Amino acid sequence: MKGWNWGGFFEYLTNEYMLEGALITLGLTVFSMLFGLILGFLVALMRMSKHKVLSAPAYFYTWIMRGTPLLVQLIIIYTGLPQLGIRFSVLESTLIGLTLNEAAYLSEIVRAGISAVPRGQVNAARAIGMREFQVMRYVVAPQAFRIIIPPLGNSVNGILKTTSIASIISMEELLRRTQVLIQEKFLVLELFIVAALYYLVMTTAWEFIQRRIEKRLGRAFDVQATVTEQR
C-alpha cells in the first residue's frame, strides 16, 4: 500500500512507550471515576437537600462544570490559576480537572437513581424506626445502585476516551505519546491507527465487564423479586 508503512505499524503496535501511555490512560480513568463518583454522590445529596445553603452551591457547581468544555477547564487549572499563585503539576491539573468535570455528570446520574426509588418505600422504612443513614444504606442505595450501573458504565467509556484531551497540557497519556512519536518518526496515519486500536481494545474490554456486572445485578434482583412474590 503506497504511503503506508507496515513495518512501522506493527513495531508500534507492541511498543513499550505506547503501552505505558495506555496504562497511564487507564490510571487516569480509574482515579477520575473513583473520586468523581465519591464527589458526585456528595453533590447529588446536596442537590436533593431542602436547605438552600447546600442545594444552591451544588447546583452552581454542576451548572459551571457541565456548561463549559473540559478543555477550557484544564487550561484554566494548569495555566490560569498560576496567575493567582496557585500552581499544579501536569498530573495534578489533569486529575483535578477530570475529577471535577466527571463528578458534575456523575452527580446527576446518582441523583436520578436515588429519585427513582419509590417514596413509599422510604416513608415505610422511616415508619418502622430506621434512621436516615439506615434508610439510605438498606433501602435506597441497593435499588439506586442497580439503576445507575448502566449510565455509570457508559461514563467509564466516556472518561477513558476523554482523557485524551489532557494531551493539550502535555499530559503523557496515550494520545500525547502518540503525538511525540509522530514528531520523531513521521508515521502519522500508522501511529494514530495504533492509538485508535488501543482505545478500541480498552473500551471493548470495559463493555464486556459492564455487561457481566449488569447481568449479575439483574440476576440478583430477579431472585430477590421472586422471593418477595413467594412471601
Side-chain angles (χ1 to χ4, degrees), residues 42-177:
L42 295 176
V43 172
L45 293 181
M46 291 173 64
R47 281 288 305 271
M48 300 178 71
S49 173
K50 297 179 180 179
H51 303 288
K52 289 293 183 181
V53 69
L54 293 176
S55 61
Y59 173 80
F60 182 77
Y61 166 76
T62 55
W63 174 63
I64 289 291
M65 301 308 293
R66 296 180 68 194
T68 58
L70 173 60
L71 177 59
V72 174
Q73 296 167 13
L74 287 174
I75 293 175
I76 290 175
I77 293 171
Y78 184 63
T79 64
L81 292 183
Q83 298 182 29
L84 302 177
I86 305 174
R87 298 182 181 278
F88 296 108
S89 66
V90 172
L91 178 59
E92 291 170 341
S93 299
T94 301
L95 293 177
I96 291 172
L98 290 174
T99 299
L100 292 178
N101 182 271
E102 192 65 17
Y105 288 92
L106 292 179
S107 68
E108 292 300 290
I109 294 176
V110 172
R111 188 167 68 93
I114 293 176
S115 299
V117 177
R119 295 298 302 174
Q121 296 186 22
V122 175
N123 294 333
R126 290 171 178 164
I128 62 175
M130 280 191 175
R131 298 179 179 178
E132 289 300 322
F133 175 77
Q134 293 175 314
V135 173
M136 177 60 68
R137 179 180 178 182
Y138 296 110
V139 179
V140 177
Q143 298 182 69
F145 185 70
R146 179 177 176 271
I147 295 171
I148 70 175
I149 279 296
L152 192 64
N154 294 334
S155 293
V156 174
N157 256 348
I159 193 64
L160 195 153
K161 292 176 286 187
T162 302
T163 55
S164 60
I165 296 178
S167 63
I168 197 67
I169 60 172
S170 301
M171 179 65 214
E172 284 207 7
E173 41 67 67
L174 180 56
L175 181 60
R176 176 61 181 173
R177 293 199 170 203

